[in-house]
Amino acid sequence: MTSSLVSHLRAHRAVTLVAVDIACWLLAYVTLLGYRLLDGGLYDTYPWYHAVALAMLSAALHLAVSWPHRFHQGRTVTGSFDEMLLLARIVCLAGALVTVLNLPVIIVPRSVPAAATLTALVLMATARGAYRAWRERQWIPELSGGTRVLIVGAGEAGRQLVKSMLRDPQQRWIPIGFIDDDPWLRNLQVSGVRMLGPSHQLGAVARRTDVSDMVIAIPSGSSAQIRRLADLALAAGVRVKILPGLDDMFDDQVAISDIRDIDVKDLLGRHQIDTDLASIAGYLTGKRVLVTGAGGSIGSELCRQIKQWEPAELIMLDRDESGLHSVQLSVSGHGLLDSSDVVLNNIREVETLRDLFRSRRPEVIFHAAALKHLPMLEQYPDEALKTNVLGTANVLEAASEVDVDRFVNISTDKAADPISVLGASKRVAERLTAGVAAAASGVYLSVRFGNVLGSRGSVLTSFAAQIAAGGPVTVTDPDVTRYFMTVEEAVQLVIQAGAIGGPGEALVLDMGEPVSIQKVAEQLIQQAGSRVEIVHTGLRHGEKLHEQLFGSGEPDVRPVHPLISHVEVPALPLQAVRCLVPGTPTARERIAAWCTSPEPYVGVAQLG
């Protein structure tokens, strides 16, 4: 019976709403005029058809004003805030016209049209609100058949999610209640779904309500917040689902189709990024932009984001033809490898770099090409010298010869007080960049950040593979911590840093709080539902127990962007490394010395 009534009303929506509005105008005029006449003793002698005439005139004007807006034809959701705003404008305009028309002839007392207009507005709004409340009560199903779930977060996303669950004809999810730490929401109730307590009571609430799942409905939640909630849910034996972050939401509307399993990016990589889009567009749009290491994790994401700003030309350089194929496919939609946007080149070859830069004349360069695996470079340190030091010097030299406007060197947190070959080579690259910045016409700077989620060979990729193989999962030390950020977030801040950095600076990205690798491994194992052993292998040579973003004596100063610190880097001239010979003790000694002393070199003759 109820469903047939709802279907009938929806099928005749326009006619029903018009009838309601006309009835409200009539009721408002008759009621207000009757009250006025009763107060004056004229109730029995007054011609009532005057009031009916003005009521019908008001209704006619109401319909005339409504028609261009398609107000009664479904422009807004019945009972919504948008409908109320539009209703107020239409009713007030119609009422104002009738009030003015009544002034010269005074068909009814002058106060009646104004008072009737407000009364009619209240009646119409009340009717629509009552209908919506009645409809929402019809959405509430019997609490059976679906998955019983707690909604963590009673903000707009959580409230929309509950309504979407209740509207679902399949009743896949049954919302039992809200969990939220906001004390102002402790009495909240949405469509019969009540607030059950703060997050620290999650375990007790889960046991009391016999729920099996929890949905974290906080799109703006940080990774630290989500990790804490996930830990509470896992301790309570409740499965965890989540809504995507704000950057991943298709629009502002939330539905049950947005619910997904929690993943490692939610646990480690949600950072609030505030990007100055205007400054980014200013130095990339219409410029010739070159990215070295374009086939790597950072380089490929740089290419994808730079492409959005419509550069005059995007030049993607790498020595790995498979990497170039992948990045061209993601940026251009094809992987033909027959166009000028992909360049197969090794940064160790300075002459080919010079020829390329002279012919293509890049204006902005992002230097992401590097060897990055710490244990591999500990085993083969000369390769770090050839690529990370001498290769960077080659790119810097070629760039300075063609007067590049802006050069951004991608560095690493391991360059802060380095104890590894990787960190030392990247620290020298920072100093070389500062050395060129001292004499070049453009802006040359470095950007320093930590581990990137989703990069090839990352610890999380290794964990996933080990869990899939049945274990064990290897963790170097139970106390080891690392900084993490998604590749998308890191590159967004790299591009932002390139817009605001000064010559020779190293810009340090705020990576949030360091994360325990042991806890990450435990969470991944629990999410996989596996019983996998964790084995501690001990720190490898060159590894730190806790990484740091700033070296000794480097202050955390953020003059422009709240997530980007500016660090001064001592300059090192390019000629200082030109005499280094890979494989010689002198080269390694000089690299180590340059990481601990601001002095560039003792003398070129002593190198090599």
Side-chain angles (χ1 to χ4, degrees):
M1 177 67 182
T2 299
S3 60
S4 62
L5 177 59
V6 171
S7 299
H8 181 79
L9 291 175
R10 294 183 66 179
H12 301 85
R13 171 192 169 98
V15 174
T16 302
L17 289 177
V18 167
V20 168
D21 290 351
I22 292 174
C24 289
W25 279 113
L26 285 169
L27 181 59
Y29 266 93
V30 170
T31 300
L32 266 295
L33 184 60
Y35 177 78
R36 176 68 182 272
L37 296 178
L38 184 64
D39 185 57
L42 303 174
Y43 189 84
D44 295 328
T45 60
Y46 193 83
W48 283 90
Y49 64 85
H50 287 175
V52 174
L54 281 185
M56 296 306 296
L57 177 60
S58 298
L61 290 173
H62 175 99
L63 297 178
V65 175
S66 300
W67 177 256
H69 297 287
R70 298 295 187 268
F71 179 63
H72 296 102
Q73 286 76 34
R75 173 169 176 171
T76 55
V77 176
T78 303
S80 66
F81 181 71
D82 290 337
E83 185 186 45
M84 296 303 172
L85 289 178
L86 185 56
L87 175 68
R89 291 199 296 268
I90 291 170
V91 171
C92 290
L93 180 57
L97 291 173
V98 173
T99 301
V100 171
L101 291 174
N102 181 63
L103 290 177
V105 293
I106 311 181
I107 300 174
V108 296
R110 283 171 293 184
S111 63
V112 170
T117 297
L118 295 178
T119 303
L121 176 59
V122 171
L123 291 173
M124 294 177 200
T126 301
R128 286 166 166 80
Y131 173 75
R132 178 163 183 170
W134 174 75
R135 278 295 314 278
E136 288 186 350
R137 283 198 298 272
Q138 310 313 309
W139 291 334
I140 301 177
E142 295 296 327
L143 298 181
S144 62
T147 301
R148 296 169 65 86
V149 60
L150 288 176
I151 309 299
V152 180
E156 183 62 27
R159 294 194 291 269
Q160 287 186 26
L161 182 60
V162 163
K163 293 178 180 179
S164 178
M165 288 178 174
L166 295 176
R167 292 190 187 102
D168 181 19
Q170 300 178 23
Q171 296 185 20
R172 290 167 287 180
W173 302 91
I174 304 299
I176 302 302
F178 288 104
I179 294 289
D180 200 292
D181 291 329
D182 188 345
W184 289 98
L185 300 177
R186 62 179 178 269
N187 297 315
L188 178 71
Q189 183 169 305
V190 177
S191 301
V193 179
R194 299 184 298 109
M195 177 65 63
L196 298 181
S199 62
H200 70 267
Q201 297 179 1
L202 194 151
V205 171
R207 289 189 294 272
R208 187 173 72 246
T209 57
D210 192 30
V211 298
S212 60
D213 288 71
M214 174 186 89
V215 179
I216 301 177
I218 313 175
S220 61
S222 66
S223 55
Q225 184 179 14
I226 292 170
R227 282 198 305 274
R228 184 180 68 85
L229 293 170
D231 286 342
L232 291 171
L234 290 170
V238 175
R239 292 189 297 267
V240 182
K241 305 289 183 179
I242 197 169
L243 292 179
L246 290 174
D247 293 338
D248 299 323
M249 297 287 285
F250 183 74
D251 55 30
D252 293 333
Q253 298 301 311
V254 174
I256 56 175
S257 58
D258 294 314
I259 299 174
R260 59 169 172 78
D261 290 330
I262 194 169
D263 62 28
V264 72
K265 289 186 178 181
D266 300 309
L267 297 171
L268 303 179
R270 283 193 177 190
H271 300 266
Q272 300 302 312
I273 306 298
D274 179 18
T275 305
D276 183 355
L277 302 181
S279 66
I280 291 178
Y283 87 100
L284 294 178
T285 302
K287 300 295 181 67
R288 295 182 298 276
V289 182
L290 183 143
V291 178
T292 71
S297 305
I298 297 294
S300 59
E301 181 61 27
L302 272 167
C303 293
R304 284 187 286 271
Q305 293 198 24
I306 291 169
K307 188 68 173 180
Q308 300 174 7
W309 300 107
E310 300 181 354
E313 185 178 13
L314 175 58
I315 307 166
M316 299 176 285
L317 182 150
D318 204 293
R319 68 173 183 174
D320 179 5
E321 58 183 347
S322 297
L324 287 175
H325 177 270
S326 297
V327 69
Q328 187 183 51
L329 192 63
S330 66
V331 170
S332 304
H334 67 84
L336 300 177
L337 297 178
D338 60 353
S339 54
S340 61
D341 59 337
V342 288
V343 176
L344 187 63
N345 190 285
N346 193 331
I347 62 171
R348 295 181 179 184
E349 305 295 334
V350 65
E351 291 304 325
T352 56
L353 276 177
R354 283 175 169 167
D355 292 341
L356 172 68
F357 280 37
R358 289 167 184 163
S359 62
R360 306 294 287 274
R361 312 293 296 189
E363 298 170 278
V364 179
I365 294 177
F366 289 90
H367 175 47
L371 298 177
K372 63 179 183 178
H373 290 286
L374 187 149
M376 184 66 73
L377 296 184
E378 289 296 311
Q379 188 175 358
Y380 301 101
D382 294 333
E383 298 305 307
L385 173 59
K386 294 174 185 176
T387 295
N388 296 356
V389 176
L390 298 179
T392 297
N394 293 339
V395 179
L396 286 165
E397 183 175 336
S400 62
E401 289 177 356
V402 297
D403 297 325
V404 167
D405 293 338
R406 194 164 288 265
F407 184 103
V408 180
N409 168 50
I410 306 299
S411 188
T412 171
D413 58 352
K414 294 172 178 61
D417 290 341
I419 64 171
S420 64
V421 172
L422 170 60
S425 64
K426 297 299 283 184
R427 176 58 175 172
V428 172
E430 287 183 0
R431 293 194 61 184
L432 291 173
T433 304
V436 174
S441 58
V443 176
Y444 289 68
L445 57 99
S446 298
V447 179
R448 187 189 298 171
F449 53 91
N451 297 277
V452 173
L453 296 173
S455 62
R456 292 183 296 183
S458 71
V459 64
L460 302 177
T461 305
S462 301
F463 284 172
Q466 290 172 336
I467 293 171
V473 172
T474 56
V475 176
T476 55
D477 189 282
D479 296 323
V480 69
T481 62
R482 292 291 182 265
Y483 292 97
F484 286 98
M485 180 176 278
T486 67
V487 64
E488 296 83 4
E489 293 164 340
V491 167
Q492 191 173 344
L493 279 177
V494 165
I495 296 176
Q496 177 72 31
I500 66 176
E505 291 181 328
L507 276 67
V508 184
L509 306 188
D510 186 333
M511 303 286 292
E513 295 298 320
V515 178
S516 167
I517 299 298
Q518 174 81 13
K519 289 186 176 180
V520 170
E522 292 172 353
Q523 287 173 332
L524 291 176
I525 292 170
Q526 288 174 317
Q527 289 171 35
S530 305
R531 299 178 65 87
V532 177
E533 181 185 7
I534 296 178
V535 175
H536 299 113
T537 59
L539 291 174
R540 294 168 292 188
H541 187 267
E543 282 190 319
K544 298 178 181 179
L545 188 63
H546 307 292
E547 292 288 4
Q548 59 194 89
L549 294 170
F550 299 91
S552 301
E554 291 182 340
D556 184 358
V557 179
R558 310 183 185 197
V560 181
H561 194 285
L563 296 180
I564 302 176
S565 304
H566 296 238
V567 172
E568 293 297 327
V569 177
L572 182 69
L574 292 180
Q575 61 266 30
V577 302
R578 286 306 183 195
C579 296
L580 295 181
V581 178
T584 62
T586 303
R588 297 172 188 174
E589 290 171 2
R590 296 315 307 163
I591 292 292
W594 288 329
C595 292
T596 57
S597 171
E599 296 300 325
Y601 55 92
V602 177
V604 174
Q606 299 180 23
L607 302 179

